[in-house]
Amino acid sequence: QMQLAESGGGLVQPGGSLKLTCTSSNRFTINNMGWFRQTPGNQRELIARIIDYGGTIYHESVKGRFTISGDNGKQMVYLQMNNLKPEDTALYYCHNFRDRTWGQGTQVTVSQ
């Protein structure tokens, strides 16, 4: 059984918003969690992650538009995506850096 599962993807127009959710069948602490995305033929790319003391880091291309957050009590991690651009189109994965596990991904398509 997979340990992580993403949801919340879909088709949106440029400038729209989506919120992705990652749930886990195993316990985690949010500072171990991050979001990646991947397009066909390309490497999986780190988009955002949570670090110690609730800090966050972001890929330059999504700074100011995406926000990662987590809830240890609910065992969930989120990615709020605002002002989406066509180049954000990808399969989005959540990742547990400690366990080195991935979900199946959720598709985000940004198109007019």
Side-chain angles (χ1 to χ4, degrees), residues 40-88:
N42 295 305
Q43 297 293 314
R44 197 165 295 182
E45 181 180 57
L46 175 65
I47 298 303
R49 71 169 295 176
I50 301 172
I51 58 176
D52 289 350
Y53 303 104
T56 56
I57 59 172
Y58 297 93
H59 190 279
E60 184 68 26
S61 66
V62 306
K63 285 182 179 178
R65 300 189 298 119
F66 291 11
T67 302
I68 187 172
S69 62
D71 188 323
N72 280 326
K74 294 182 178 180
Q75 291 290 281
M76 293 183 182
V77 63
Y78 309 97
L79 184 67
Q80 178 65 50
M81 304 183 294
N82 297 324
N83 193 23
L84 284 159
K85 303 176 180 180
E87 48 265 47
D88 295 319

Side-chain angles (χ1 to χ4, degrees), residues 7-8 24 32 42 65 67 69 73-74 82 89 93 99 105 108:
S7 62
S24 178
N32 293 323
N42 295 305
R65 300 189 298 119
T67 302
S69 62
K74 294 182 178 180
N82 297 324
T89 296
Y93 298 88
D99 296 342
V108 172

